[in-house]
Amino acid sequence: MFTGIVEETGRVTSVPAPGRAGRLAIKASRVLEGTRIGDSIAVNGVCLTATELLPDGFAADVMPQTLSHSNLGALRAGSPVNLERAMAADGRFGGHIVSGHIDGTGTVRRVRRDQNAVRFTIGAPAGIMALIVAQGSIAVDGISLTVADLYDDAFEVSVIPHTAAETTLGSHRPGSTVNLENDVVGKYVQRLLYNKNRNTETPDAERANKPASPPLTLEYLAANGF
């Protein structure tokens, strides 16, 4: 589990052949402290396993599934990446629950100054937008951010100078592709509602012997104090 609080920006030193799975090597320093082979490190929000420790970085294997669901396939030697080690049990929980399992990618549509902050408008697929709520949390390239505004097919985040300077966000421009991970709590609630309303996971004979239960809807939850 991660928190979305980026520890440092690393630099890619080698990548697999374009469109191919393989070994990704990253120059880093802070995230190497206490790291052993087999440990998890989030790279632009993607949970990867450190398979080799290098004198000035680490290497990880990237599989086809990861390439198809994230922006890691677009990395080149020299690309900056956000890095975070998995959260220690006695660590400070400064962001929100981030699993490192990317839900998909979005596209930066607009970047504008807002006094001391920078606001990013990011377009996202319908499936991701369905789980975004105003003032809720979302991980963008592994960075825990608060949703400032919400539209039909896009959302906005407002970034303070520190975050822009200490992560890759400050280099993003319209057209940049970013990794997105929805709040994990929302994903479990959505799945619960889906399975409850379908009610197809239980065999017919067993289901016939169970008392009927009301459908689990937002109205039902509100009426029962949720």
Side-chain angles (χ1 to χ4, degrees), residues 2-92:
F2 305 92
T3 67
I5 304 300
V6 173
E7 295 186 89
E8 70 172 312
T9 53
R11 189 73 59 173
V12 174
T13 56
S14 68
V15 296
R20 302 290 298 176
R23 179 179 179 273
L24 178 70
I26 298 171
K27 183 177 182 180
S29 58
R30 186 177 302 172
V31 298
L32 298 182
E33 297 173 6
T35 295
R36 298 174 296 181
I37 291 177
D39 285 350
S40 297
I41 298 177
V43 178
N44 276 359
V46 180
C47 179
L48 298 180
T49 299
T51 56
E52 184 180 359
L53 296 180
L54 308 172
D56 61 349
F58 69 96
D61 293 322
V62 181
M63 58 185 177
Q65 170 79 3
T66 302
L67 294 176
S68 65
H69 282 78
S70 73
N71 63 12
L72 295 192
L75 295 176
R76 299 292 180 265
S79 296
V81 287
N82 297 319
L83 302 175
E84 181 193 353
R85 288 168 293 181
M87 181 183 176
D90 60 349
R92 186 184 297 275

Side-chain angles (χ1 to χ4, degrees), residues 3 16 36 39 46-47 59 61 108 116 121 138 156 169 171 219:
T3 67
R36 298 174 296 181
D39 285 350
V46 180
C47 179
D61 293 322
V108 176
N116 69 330
T121 303
I138 189 165
E156 278 193 1
L169 267 184
S171 64
E219 290 76 14

Side-chain angles (χ1 to χ4, degrees), residues 7 40 48 73 128 140 160 206:
E7 295 186 89
S40 297
L48 298 180
I128 292 178
V140 178
I160 61 174
E206 182 179 343

Side-chain angles (χ1 to χ4, degrees), residues 130 189-190 193 197 215-226:
V189 170
Q190 183 190 60
L193 288 168
N197 289 332
L216 188 58
T217 63
L218 293 177
E219 290 76 14
Y220 177 84
L221 291 173
N224 285 273
F226 291 93

